Amino acid sequence: MKRSPKNIILKTLKIIGITIGSILLLLFLIPLLFPGTIAEQVKKAANQKLDGELNFKETHLSFYKHFPSLTVSLDEFSLKGSAPYRNDTLVAAKEVAFGINLKRLIFDNQVSIDEIYLSDGQANIKVDEHGHANYNVYISNAPKTADTTESASIRLDRIEIKNVDLKYNDLSAKVAIDAKDFNYIGKGDLDKSIFDLTTKARIGSLDFAFDGETYLKNKVVNADLLTRINTNSLSFVFRQNNLKINKLPVKFIGKLNFLKDGYDIDIHVETQNSNLNDLFTAMPPAYVTWLEKTKVQGQTDVLFTFKGIYNASQNKKPDLGLAVNIRDGFIAYKDTPFPTSNIFLKFNTRMPSLNPDLLEIDMDSIHFNVGKDFLAGKLYSKGTKHINVNTDMKAKLDLEKLNRALGLEKVEIKGLLTTSIKAKGDYDAAQKLFPVTDGFLALQGGRLKTPYYPNPIDSIRINARIKNTTGNYKDLMVKVTPASFHFEGNPVFVAADLSNFEDLAYKVNAKGEIDVAKVYKVFRQEGLDVKGYIKADLFLQGKQSYATTGQYGKMNNKGTLVLRDITAKSQFFPKPFLIKEGLFRFDRDKMFFNDFKAGYGQSDFNLNGQLQNVINYVLNDKSVLSGNFALQSDFLNVNEFMAYNPDGVKTNNSKVNAKKTKPKEPTGVVVVPTNLNVSVVANAKKIDYDGLVLNDMSGKAMVKKGKIMLRNAGVGIIGSRMTLDGVYDDVSADKANFSLRYRAKDFDVNRAYREVKLFRDLMTSAEKAEGIIGVDYRLRGVLDQNMQPIMPSLKGDGVVTVKKVKIKGLKLFSAISKKTGSDGINDPDLSEVEINSNIKNNVITIDETLIKVALFRLKFKGQTNFAGQMNLRMRLGLPPFGLIGIPVVITGNKDNPKIKVFSKTGEEVPETEYKGTPAPVSPPTQSEPKPEPTATPAPITPRAKE
């Protein structure tokens, strides 16, 4: 029987209805049939795959929230991070949902999670200084158990994130990212060791900062990415990645492989044929605000490359490159009548192996117009030490028009600038090479005003010319005729004519007054403070060879330079010097110091004297500066002069290459420049050296070839007067050699033991002594970074004179008295005894010495070290006249002496040999040095004010 079309249609609709009804029924029944099972298995799977504390309020099972996936939703979800951030929240969200594979659930009775949904939450990603991150919570290859294999698994094919605020703070890379309204869809089999991750992302507001500097602020980002990830070798291949930062389209391709000792990277980031306006939308916030008031047109290409292997142990670093091409550019700020037009720029720079010495800059062309004014030219340079340069630049600009065209509202710039410069060749100061050059620069009617100071630098005038016809120093000529400006009503004038830089012929005239603090405020920079006052009236004329050959009569250097409240920093010292006031006077090759009052930390100085060879010293870093001074001080704190630099290197000018960063407590030896030949007759009322107070110091110190030599210096110490001769030579920033002879008479031995660490180390047995002694000792050795002697390095010899000393309670004499039954030597009174000794390898060797104690005669010699260990041989002469003697050997240490009576066998005192190889230091002469004259240089009368 033939069915009618109507019946067929009804039957089909019936089958479709039953099917749809069954599906809808399953949508209701499955969550009812499996709620506890599914929720329990999801929790087990999460615990199996996540290494972090997971919490949620309650669960829901539904087909409708993420249809057609069956999803388990966890409300009020939170997950803490991995070590070292286990107590900090990694992810928190209103809801996290897991998509369940329906086929495996029905036919295999297995809960398989292949999707994750996260919405309305926060993610806080952190990386510490050592690279340890808090996001390492996913366990890719967790061990399978019978329970997890049969009941639940995670094979992620999709990750979807909606409306999440993401913060990324990487302390190791100094990178900070804040992404608000972050939306992300990622597809791929994330459980495989090698998989392709397809990503679509949108960020409503992105902030990016590097090393504390913000580069992106409130940027809208859209991304369409395809990345191949290999979790076994931890490598990423960026196959197809299209970004849009605000309006700027960017392509991003390349690879990143993490190696055992570094990484292998090949990154290309580029935008092609983009609008110049769109490029500015992707720049830091200041440009975006400026862009709102500015019309920008033109096309641009930008290419950034980073390629190579980074391996610190093999000194391998990637190559960095940047290329920028701008065409038909146009910038007009607030409808200015003088827009910047016809902007063309073709710029390319490379830094192979991230080495600044190999930096290459190729600006093939640059050009723009401001009305009829223009700037045009090209520039090529390679290197930073030996520089190869080729440039041709011309400009004729009204700076006020340019300022209005670019919209530099905060800065007022005026003046007519004309310049033309051509240069081609090599620059190398060591080889006295300079490019073949012909150029000039002229600025008329210049003016500069910034928001940091109410008054401008005005009436700026510059007329300068530079010329070199052969490429050698001897044919280089520089003329400034003249340069001048006005500031705060004070005119400043400088004119200079320089030629033949191999034997520099100079003629310089400078006159004017400058308040450094006020001028600095015009260019203010946060974190720095500069102040001071300078008044100059100088005329310098001559040749460099006049100084080197002693033709001082041909030099015409004269004038004065007044300084007040100047703060000066030097690479040689950790603290700044403050010149409270002082007058320089120039006369031929000499520079005189008149009544200089200065301070350094807690120390104060009053200085008079002169320097010679100043011009040659300034022009030639190998020349030596000579001089002599008289210095007066009420207080010197030597500890403040110690410089810290573990990488100090000895050079012609300095033994220190000071680091920019310093530890909290700087330490180091006093560093002495190598190109000084200066003598100082000094008088200081009080000196503090590592807690030791010295009084009324006087004497002569000489600085020569990086050494300090002290001759016939006297200083008050522990109530006595000590005479010193010595040599000091710093080997590096944390080590120095010294040689010293010190002589002192009639000082308190107990006070010396308590207050002088070196005496305490050398004379360990003086702890129980009271009375008056004298010393004449020669000592040399090595000082450590705290200016303390390295004991095994000490070598020396000398004599200690005991005039009147009483020793009480010393265990050595008590033990001898007890062993020999001689009560008279228990607490001996000693007088008129000379003890000769020498020091080497941490051991003090005492020559044979005779002591009269009551009716006894003691004769002893032997060794002791700085740890107090002893090996002494003694003969105790019995009364009368000591004709009969008892041999005694003393070993052990000062606190626990071991006495052997009628014995001649001792124990060797351990030596400690110094492993270092100190540079030779000439020891002071052993004969009494002749007193040197300490005359103060004659006072210098300053020139009368004009």
Side-chain angles (χ1 to χ4, degrees), residues 709-745:
M709 288 161 280
L710 199 62
R711 290 291 181 261
N712 200 34
V715 63
I717 178 173
I718 55 173
S720 179
R721 189 73 183 169
M722 180 178 289
T723 305
L724 300 169
D725 294 276
V727 179
Y728 171 93
D729 180 18
D730 56 293
V731 180
S732 66
D734 55 8
K735 187 178 290 185
N737 296 313
F738 77 95
S739 178
L740 182 67
R741 180 184 181 186
Y742 54 97
R743 302 176 298 284
K745 299 179 180 180

Side-chain angles (χ1 to χ4, degrees), residues 194-198 225-231 233-241 252-258 264 266-267:
I194 301 176
F195 61 91
D196 287 339
L197 179 65
T198 303
L225 314 175
L226 176 60
T227 306
R228 171 156 290 182
I229 301 174
N230 186 334
T231 59
S233 61
L234 197 56
S235 67
F236 303 85
V237 178
F238 309 105
R239 304 177 68 179
Q240 180 182 341
N241 300 275
F252 178 75
I253 59 174
K255 69 174 184 177
L256 173 61
N257 298 329
F258 287 94
D264 181 6
D266 186 358
I267 297 295

Side-chain angles (χ1 to χ4, degrees), residues 105-153:
L105 177 65
I106 295 174
F107 296 104
D108 300 332
N109 194 29
Q110 183 183 29
V111 177
S112 178
I113 300 170
D114 56 12
E115 297 175 351
I116 292 180
Y117 302 88
L118 183 94
S119 60
D120 300 320
Q122 295 87 34
N124 295 293
I125 299 174
K126 298 180 179 180
V127 182
D128 68 11
E129 296 90 339
H130 307 290
H132 303 133
N134 69 336
Y135 54 76
N136 295 316
V137 295
Y138 181 71
I139 304 173
S140 176
N141 298 312
K144 294 182 178 180
T145 64
D147 183 38
T148 57
T149 306
E150 294 175 0
S151 59
S153 66

